[in-house]
Amino acid sequence: MNCPRCGNLIDPVQHGDLVFDGQVWCQGCHHYDERLLELRPFPELENWAQLICGAFGQEPVRLLHDEAFLPDPAKYWHGATFLLAEACHGSRGIMLHPPGHRLTTLCHELAHLFTGQDHTENWARACAALIAWVKARL
Ligand SMILES: [Zn+2]
Ligand SMILES: [Zn+2]
């Protein structure tokens, strides 16, 4: 797929270098609204997850978090990047780790559950649609 502004080829697998907002952009061409990147309280994210599932005609998902354990930042550090979250397709659950308590991470994982796909073009477009929907309602 290509960035809608500069036309450069973009690879959804390199999602950390992309901006998902309506469409999928390269980092040079678009940035996130800062409110999408803020860390938010878990109950607020649960509420957003419900709203998003309802709006997109999806069965509810279960959000999980592990803040009950002692926070250990090293646990989430995987070489070069923090592990923010994991989607569990079988149980339709999303584990949000503390560094991932933000709307962009929630939408990223919801898009995996909604599409049933890894970092594909389909997934990328779904993620961009979810984030644009949320941004319009902040
Ligand atoms: Zn671009
Ligand atoms: Zn992912």
Side-chain angles (χ1 to χ4, degrees), residues 2-10 24-30:
N2 298 81
C3 172
R5 183 165 295 153
C6 68
N8 283 346
L9 197 62
I10 53 182
V24 187
W25 313 78
C26 76
Q27 252 179 348
C29 288
H30 198 62

Side-chain angles (χ1 to χ4, degrees), residues 15 85 87 108-109 112 117-119 123:
H15 51 84
H108 176 123
E109 299 303 331
H112 282 309
Q117 295 179 10
D118 200 11
H119 299 117
W123 163 79

